Structure formats: C-alpha cells, structure tokens
Amino acid sequence: MDALISLMNHPYLTMKLGLDSESKRKVDAVYPISIFFAFGIYLVFQRYQLRHNSPVPFEFTFPEAADPAWESTQLHEPTLESHIDNPEIQAAMSVPDRRYITAYDPSTGLHLGTYLADNEQEIERKIERAAEAQKTWKHTTFQQRRRVIRSLQKWLVDNQEVVARVACRDTGKTLIDAALGEILTTCSKMEWIIKHGEKALRPETRRSNLMMFYKQSQVHYEPLGVVAAIVSWNYPLHNAWSPILAALFSGNAIVLKCSEQVVWSTTWFLGVLARCLSACGHNPNIVQAVFCYPEQADALTQSPLIKHITFIGSETVGRKVAMAATKHLTPVTLELGGKDPAVILPGTNLEQWASTWMRGVYQNMGQNCIGIERLLVHNDQYDDLWEIFSQRVAKMRVGSVMSMQQAGYLATVEGGAMISNRFFSGLEKLIKDANDANAYVIGGEEFKHPYHEHGYYFSPTVVGPVDADMDIAKEELFAPIALLMPYETVEEAIDIANGTKYGLGASVFGPDQDECLKVAKQLDCGMVSINDFAVFYVNQDLPFGGTKASGYGRFAGPEGLRSLTNPKAIIVDRWPSLIQTTIPRVLDYPLRSLKHSWDFSSGLIRFLYGDGWRTSVNGLITAIGAARK
C-alpha cells in the first residue's frame, strides 16, 4: 500500500502539463487517483466474472472401448437380445424375470456390454428423483446454468476425439460424421444458449391498449417441472445432450429415454454430464436416464409427473407416444420422419454443388432425419447429374474407423456401418421394384465387408430416373440412397417436392437466389436451405421441426426453450398509488337500472373501438351521461 501511495504521488503523475503547473498541483492528483480507483473496480469485476462464469474443470474416465485397438467378444449377427443365446455375454448377476439389452458395435459386431433394462417401477422412481431434485434446480440463476453449460462445452472441445470415438463405436459412423453431426452441432447449441438463452426466457413486457393504459403486462416463462425426451439412435451424443441442455437451462429436470441401440454410449455421455453438474455444485439427479424396451415406455409417457415430452424418431412410434400422452394431456413435440427434397433449378452449376449433395445424401450413411432423400433435377441436366453421382459413388469406401488394420493404421472411409440389418430386405425390395420400373441402379444391396464380416453395411446407392409414383419416392429410406427425379417445369418440381406425406426440411439450388426463394416459399416443410444443405440446424437461433407427417412443435431457438416452460401472464398497476381499477356505480351490483348500465357499457365500447373520431366522441358522451344518472 505504501508503494502504491508513493506511486500515486510521484511528481510525474501529479504534475500538470502547462506553464503554470505550480498553481494547479493541488488538484492534479485527482486524475491518477481516479484512474487507479477505476482500474481497481475493473479488477474486482473481472475477478467476480472469473469466479462465477468461468468453466469448472472436471475429469471423466475414458471407456476402454473407445480405443480402436480394443478387443472384445465377437458376436455373429448381433441383436439387442444376443445375450439370450450366448452365455458368454450374459450379465454376471442375472435378475430373474427381467429383460436385458445387448450393446454392440454395428461396424464390427464386437460386444460392448449387457445392460439390465428398466422396468416400470424403476422408471417411476427415476421420475420421482428428478422431481425432487428440480425443486432446488428451478431456483438456480441463469448465471449458474450458463456456467454448467460453459463447463460442459470446454470439456467437450478438449475431449472431442474420445467423444467422437465413443459415438463411432456405438453406431458405426465415421469420425468425420461424428465431428460434424455430434460435436459441431452440440457446441452450436451450447453457444446459442450461453449467449441468447436468458433473453428468450426472462420476463417479457407486452403492449397494452387504451382501456388498460394504467396497467403493465408481462409474460413470465416458468419451468414446467420434469420433462422427458425420447430420442433416436443416429446421433447419440447430440440427441441426448440437446434436449437436456434446453431442459436444464429452462429450469426443468429431465428424464431421457435413449434408443436401446445406443445404451452403451448414452450411459457414458450422461455420466459426463452428471460429473459436470457435481463439479459445479448441483445435484446430478436432475438428469435421469431410462433404458428400456418399448413395452415399458408407457411408464414414462403416461406419468402424471412428466409435463412435456420431446420425441425424435419414426412416425409410427411418434403416433403411439402422442396417444399415450393424452392420458394426462401432456404436451408433445414430435420430430418424425422426412423425405427431404433438393430442388435443383434449371441452369444450376452441378459441379459447384455436387459435393454438397453428396454430403447431404451420404452423411451418416443416410441415417439422418434431414438428409437429402430426393434430388429433383431438370430433364436437360439429368444425365449430367447421373454421371456425377455414378462416378463419385463408385469411389466411396465403407468400413469401420474403430478397427485397426493389419498395418497398424485406421482405414480412410467415407461411409460407416448401418445401425442394424433389420431394414435391409425392405430397402432391397424398394430398389428392385424401381429397377423393374426401368430405373437404373448403382449399388442397391447389402455390402459384405471383406474385413468386417460381422458388421452391418449397405452399399452407397444411386437410383434413377425415379418417378413420383414409385414407392421408393414416397417412403423414408434412412439409408445411403440417392434418388434422382427428373422434371419438366419448376411448377412440376414443386408438386413433386410436396408430393409426399412428409414435410421436415428441404433445399433449393439455383443460379438466382430470388428465384430459389420463390420456390422455397411454396414448399410444404418446416425448414429450407437455399444453395446449401441443412444449415438451418447449425444456426440454433432457428426453430427446428416439420409439418404434415413429419410432426409438430419445434425445438431449438427461442421457440424450443419456451416450449419447455409455462408462459404465465402477469398484469400489475403501472402507478398503484395514483390509479387502480374501480367499478363505476352504474355497473355495481345490484344494478340500479338496466338501461343506464347498458348505455354506459355500449357507449364505452363505441368510445374505445368505434370507427372514426365522431363515433368515439359520441360514445364517450353517452357513457358519461349514463354514469351520472
């Protein structure tokens, strides 16, 4: 402190520039003192921000199976119930009369674990634990919630390679698909919530009218309590963390039911989240995981404690979830299937966008709800587009990034495995029917991998020309299949694009952006990218969802956060000491005169809402006259 005072009184700091500095030296010290005080305040503020907002470091053990050199029991044609016929992978302590779930790597067939499936009673207890923990969590501040997400984001970025390998091991996808579809999108979600989530949820002032000029109206977005998310297997990290992040930031607890196909990875991903919550000083019970077969899911969807359900999956299952939720009128957001078209307008530079279309069709081997399933191209450019796809698809390599080659390196592959072989026969039949109807086919069948004979692979496929009446043009494929559909006029292309029961996403490509926009506005869907693919999901400020059989409701963006809250309208007096609502005598019970009461009411309505100032003035005179009688 003595040194600081000496510095502040140093002649150089206390000397004022100018000829007559001696006469002003007594007040010159104000400037350095002010600077030092301001700097001190800045340091205190920065320390406060660092203490309350900086990420909290934490560690979590990496699973051994994330190592490509890891070895395990080899399963032949693995299924979720492989443990039934294979004593080698049965649980060490089997519980009688209970079901188990076999987890396996679909790209290699290696056994990952055998998990006890939850029954109805266990699901109920998990919901109750979440409800109890939410009583405390709902009182946390936005600053505390942001810190949890910021800590999680730092951990994710720092450990992205391990996270990607975990996702690859459980789904058979490639590292690049994991980086783009799992990590990039999740970081985008986190960034948006950290920067803009509070703005979407803090109390919002609404406008009033002349009659209520002395009132102030607000909408408060309050947590619902315990919400649920039932999510698909294709992006196990993102599909789990995305609804959890939204639920936690809006003050809710959440019960997550993942697909039975990704129990192994989801267990680890939620373990990371629980460790983060504990490191930040919060009860990890606000997030509960349910692992069960569909037969037990009603314990979640029909629970009176669940106040909202987010479902991501197939149309068939989504309808069952929506019906089950009616028992307690639980609101549901449904993100179901898609048959997304890419409308390629005449004159489009095909070579310019070919890579984008390849990514849109074959990312995650087509197991992508907003993947491009139909490429609509003008007749004049159909042959050129077929040539581009046929050449590129012929060079695509499929395989596993979680298996070391004999030379000791990982193979470079563009496509990974399919989650299972359940739908292979159905896909092959659709392709055969199209071929019988004079469509050419490249690929179109199960791929027997020479090094991974126990993995599930489907050949990257091109089918065309495809007619809108073919079954393959109507049904969601969820597979690495490009359908090339020629058209004559733009109006015909729009009709083809809108010709399915789905309406999730779409894209429009063309040399004139204004023309693309005109087409985009005529498409029956929830989201459209112009001269791009699916970027509406990278921008998490946008609502995500579809129409028709692709579901209803939205997640992501302000709409997604607010859907997890109760929007409570609160109205108060603007100047309570000056003016408050009173009942005029002419309207007070018991009414003295029906005529006077009616004249007052009708005159007031004409004054407030009459057409023209004369009507308003006459109404005011009538109301005043009736009130005086």
Side-chain angles (χ1 to χ4, degrees), residues 381-393:
Q381 294 184 292
Y382 174 82
D383 289 340
D384 294 335
L385 186 63
W386 175 269
E387 185 67 18
I388 290 172
F389 263 79
S390 61
Q391 290 183 5
R392 290 196 174 212
V393 168

Side-chain angles (χ1 to χ4, degrees), residues 46-64:
Q46 287 296 103
R47 180 169 293 184
Y48 175 86
Q49 293 293 322
L50 186 65
R51 181 175 180 181
H52 292 86
N53 294 310
S54 60
V56 177
F58 67 94
E59 295 181 356
F60 197 71
T61 304
F62 298 156
E64 294 181 1

